Amino acid sequence: MTHFNLVKDCYSSAWHRRHLIVPVYIALRLAAYAVIVPLLGVMINLGVSLSDQSALTDQDIARFLLTPTGFVVCIGLVSILLLNEVLSLAVMTAFLRAENAGVAQPVRTGLAAILRKSKSLILFSVLLVLRVTFIAVPFLLACLLAVGVFLSEFDINYYLSARPPEFYKAAAVIIPLLLIMGWLLLSQLSAWALSLHFVVFGETSPRGAFGISARSMAGDRTKLIGQIAIWVLLRAIAMGVLALIFGLAIGVIPIRPGAGLRTALVLILVLAGLWMLMRLVVAGVSVGALAKLLNRHFDKVGGGASLPVPDTQKTSAIKKAVLAIIVLVPLGLISGAFLLDRVTTTDSIEIIAHRGAAGSRPENTLASVQKGIEDRADWIEIDVQETADGEIVVVHDSDLMKLAGVNLKIWDSTLEDLEEIDIGSWFDPAYDDQRTPLLRDVLELAKGKSKVLIELKYYGHDIALGERVARVVEDMEMQDQIAIMSLKYPEIQKMQELRPTWRTGVLAASSVGNTAKLDGDFIAISQGFASSSLIRATQSAGKDIYVWTVNDPLDMSKMISKGVNGLITDEPALVHQVLAFRAGLSTPERLLLWLSEALGLEFNTKAYRDDQP
């Protein structure tokens, strides 16, 4: 039998048992997440409690993970996530090895086998993570070294957007390293493919299972790699076909204000439900097929005997639980929609123009600031740095390579230098008159029209940035029209000491821990990390939460529905349109828009050069 036919036969076998595999797969996912989420919270809080602040953000996270404590926490988190996958595969394999028919008996038999080895499975997961880490870390460190050698002279945003020769030199080093790492991992994982089986079904210790598996697979590793590749390909094809069908179906549904909106949103909900259900079916059948494939190899090397039927009578309880779920889930959805429809909601959001209206004008220029004001933004967000002659200028990157192709660090430049450099033509030749503005110029333009959110940029070259910004703001008598934020939390604490009555906030590109406990009046975070729990915790602590960079209408609607206090966006005018559109929707219709975004729909396909804070 060819590899393809063998894998296809495994998929066929799993499909024939879908009535058992799919419900159990879904139940395992729900049960696993019910356990994993609290454990993740415990692990993260443990890691933060061992640090010297209430939350870890950006470079703080990287530094923390490089410490011995951070490494242990990271291993723990990955182990928990891996345990979810190990359990799914182990349960499916246990079903295959149960000597009985029907549905209830394989479920009971398989779960009994897994519970009996729960401690061994946890240890197995930790050992597997450590082994993979041991292989991967040297290659990852080498990749970091390549980044330091080739991509450290200029700001990283320049390399990502312009892709100069140094970018490709780094890629020429990093890509082979990653390919070699991937091959070594694949080779080792194929050798360890039966280690889980020896732990659960072969009465082998987790430590010894890897060696036994490697010896058992010595002659079949190449075959297994080919079979796994085919398994991955077939799964990807099935998922791709589903995505294509769903995308085509939802693409023909008109979503527009007016009488047809409610019908369109209901159709989206129905299609989304079918799509998610089919994804679960494909995922469940795929795991069943993988279990079947590995189980064949285990039988080939003389694996353990079939599992005995446990002495228990829980068939009735299982049927009742499944029936309760089948009945209560749709009832909950229907009653929840009814109750939500009785709720009246009002949108309240601050519109924050990212580097001015950077979607319409070149970023951090007086032109973009003016456009943000014209678009009725509540705040104009800008970035400031110090020049060599002590001026405070508005610019994001550490140099001007991205904006002008000029190799000049901001901290090495003078105001006279900057006045000679065109930073607008890259966007459109019509803006060839734009130069790097002073903070004073932006404040003067925005005074009495929009408030100004000032991000302090350091790049390791701080002379007196906070003090100088404070003096400029006070000279303009705009203390009540500005706010200060930074990625560097200690600098925000320093600013609070300098001007304790000013509005300040922490900018977090990513975060773990309790950001709500960080000093400041607000938190600014990537929309990808803006979970409902984080939003509630931040607001309960009396702080506002802003999210960036939100440019798609559905993303905007989702964040507004979540209750964030402000949207940092390149398209401030678009936020006003979304607010007007949402004003005519009921709460369930707004939730359907939220679901549409979660399914990957986008209305704004414009490409942005830089969406970093």
Side-chain angles (χ1 to χ4, degrees), residues 117 161 293 336 342 387 502 522:
K117 294 295 186 73
S161 59
L293 177 63
R342 297 171 62 88
T387 62
W502 286 20
F522 64 91

Side-chain angles (χ1 to χ4, degrees), residues 74-203:
C74 184
I75 293 296
L77 293 176
V78 175
S79 297
I80 292 172
L81 295 173
L82 179 63
L83 181 60
N84 181 18
E85 302 304 321
V86 168
L87 283 175
S88 296
L89 185 60
V91 170
M92 295 296 179
T93 306
F95 292 163
L96 295 173
R97 304 192 69 79
E99 278 189 339
N100 39 60
V103 175
Q105 286 186 359
V107 171
R108 293 201 313 270
T109 303
L111 291 179
I114 298 307
L115 291 174
R116 185 168 59 91
K117 294 295 186 73
S118 57
K119 292 182 180 179
S120 295
L121 284 173
I122 294 173
L123 178 58
F124 172 82
S125 299
V126 173
L127 292 175
L128 180 58
V129 170
L130 289 174
R131 285 170 174 264
V132 170
T133 301
F134 181 78
I135 295 172
V137 165
F139 291 95
L140 296 178
L141 290 177
C143 289
L144 289 176
L145 179 62
V147 170
V149 170
F150 295 107
L151 306 181
S152 61
E153 182 178 359
F154 307 124
D155 190 274
I156 190 62
N157 288 307
Y158 161 69
Y159 294 107
L160 294 176
S161 59
R163 297 187 178 180
E166 293 79 7
F167 176 86
Y168 293 101
K169 290 178 182 178
V173 174
I174 293 172
I175 291 176
L177 284 172
L178 293 178
L179 289 175
I180 295 172
M181 181 186 74
W183 174 252
L184 287 176
L185 286 173
L186 184 61
S187 177
Q188 286 302 309
L189 289 173
S190 64
W192 301 332
L194 302 183
S195 53
L196 175 62
H197 294 69
F198 283 110
V199 170
V200 180
F201 313 111
E203 303 301 328

Side-chain angles (χ1 to χ4, degrees), residues 246 250 253 263-277 592 595 599:
F246 176 76
I250 206 163
I253 299 176
T263 300
L265 294 178
V266 169
L267 289 174
I268 288 175
L269 179 61
V270 172
L271 286 173
L274 291 173
W275 181 64
M276 288 187 290
L277 177 60
L592 288 175
L595 177 63
L599 294 173

Side-chain angles (χ1 to χ4, degrees), residues 23-60:
V24 172
Y25 176 81
I26 294 173
L28 282 173
R29 287 291 171 184
L30 293 175
Y33 288 131
V35 174
I36 285 173
V37 172
L39 285 176
L40 284 174
V42 171
M43 296 292 290
I44 288 173
N45 280 283
L46 174 62
V48 174
S49 68
L50 296 173
S51 69
D52 58 356
Q53 51 190 71
S54 67
L56 306 173
T57 62
D58 301 290
Q59 58 263 41
D60 296 327

Side-chain angles (χ1 to χ4, degrees), residues 89-379:
L89 185 60
V91 170
M92 295 296 179
T93 306
F95 292 163
L96 295 173
R97 304 192 69 79
E99 278 189 339
N100 39 60
V103 175
Q105 286 186 359
V107 171
R108 293 201 313 270
T109 303
L111 291 179
I114 298 307
L115 291 174
R116 185 168 59 91
K117 294 295 186 73
S118 57
K119 292 182 180 179
S120 295
L121 284 173
I122 294 173
L123 178 58
F124 172 82
S125 299
V126 173
L127 292 175
L128 180 58
V129 170
L130 289 174
R131 285 170 174 264
V132 170
T133 301
F134 181 78
I135 295 172
V137 165
F139 291 95
L140 296 178
L141 290 177
C143 289
L144 289 176
L145 179 62
V147 170
V149 170
F150 295 107
L151 306 181
S152 61
E153 182 178 359
F154 307 124
D155 190 274
I156 190 62
N157 288 307
Y158 161 69
Y159 294 107
L160 294 176
S161 59
R163 297 187 178 180
E166 293 79 7
F167 176 86
Y168 293 101
K169 290 178 182 178
V173 174
I174 293 172
I175 291 176
L177 284 172
L178 293 178
L179 289 175
I180 295 172
M181 181 186 74
W183 174 252
L184 287 176
L185 286 173
L186 184 61
S187 177
Q188 286 302 309
L189 289 173
S190 64
W192 301 332
L194 302 183
S195 53
L196 175 62
H197 294 69
F198 283 110
V199 170
V200 180
F201 313 111
E203 303 301 328
T204 305
S205 70
R207 291 184 178 86
F210 295 97
I212 295 176
S213 175
R215 290 191 293 273
S216 300
M217 290 297 299
D220 287 334
R221 289 166 59 179
T222 303
K223 292 180 181 179
L224 180 60
I225 290 173
Q227 291 162 4
I228 294 296
I230 295 171
W231 174 83
V232 171
L233 178 62
L234 292 178
R235 187 182 190 278
I237 290 174
M239 287 295 189
V241 170
L242 281 180
L244 178 61
I245 293 173
F246 176 76
L248 292 174
I250 206 163
V252 301
I253 299 176
I255 304 177
R256 60 179 182 273
L261 177 62
R262 190 181 303 273
T263 300
L265 294 178
V266 169
L267 289 174
I268 288 175
L269 179 61
V270 172
L271 286 173
L274 291 173
W275 181 64
M276 288 187 290
L277 177 60
M278 293 307 298
R279 280 179 60 88
L280 287 173
V281 170
V282 171
V285 171
S286 297
V287 173
L290 180 60
K292 180 74 173 180
L293 177 63
L294 296 178
N295 195 59
R296 286 193 174 192
H297 283 274
F298 189 54
D299 285 336
K300 183 179 178 181
V301 299
S306 299
L307 299 175
V309 179
D311 184 15
T312 181
Q313 297 294 329
K314 294 187 177 180
T315 303
S316 177
I318 293 173
K319 290 182 178 179
K320 289 179 180 178
V322 173
L323 181 62
I325 293 173
I326 292 174
V327 172
L328 292 177
V329 168
L331 283 179
L333 291 174
I334 295 171
S335 60
F338 173 75
L339 292 173
L340 283 171
D341 201 31
R342 297 171 62 88
V343 177
T344 301
T345 58
T346 303
D347 293 332
S348 177
I349 198 81
E350 290 186 291
I351 302 173
I352 305 166
H354 182 234
R355 307 181 197 174
S360 304
R361 306 280 172 85
E363 65 177 53
N364 278 327
T365 60
L366 293 181
S368 66
V369 171
Q370 179 61 43
K371 178 61 174 172
I373 295 171
E374 293 172 358
D375 289 344
R376 297 177 291 136
D378 300 294
W379 293 84

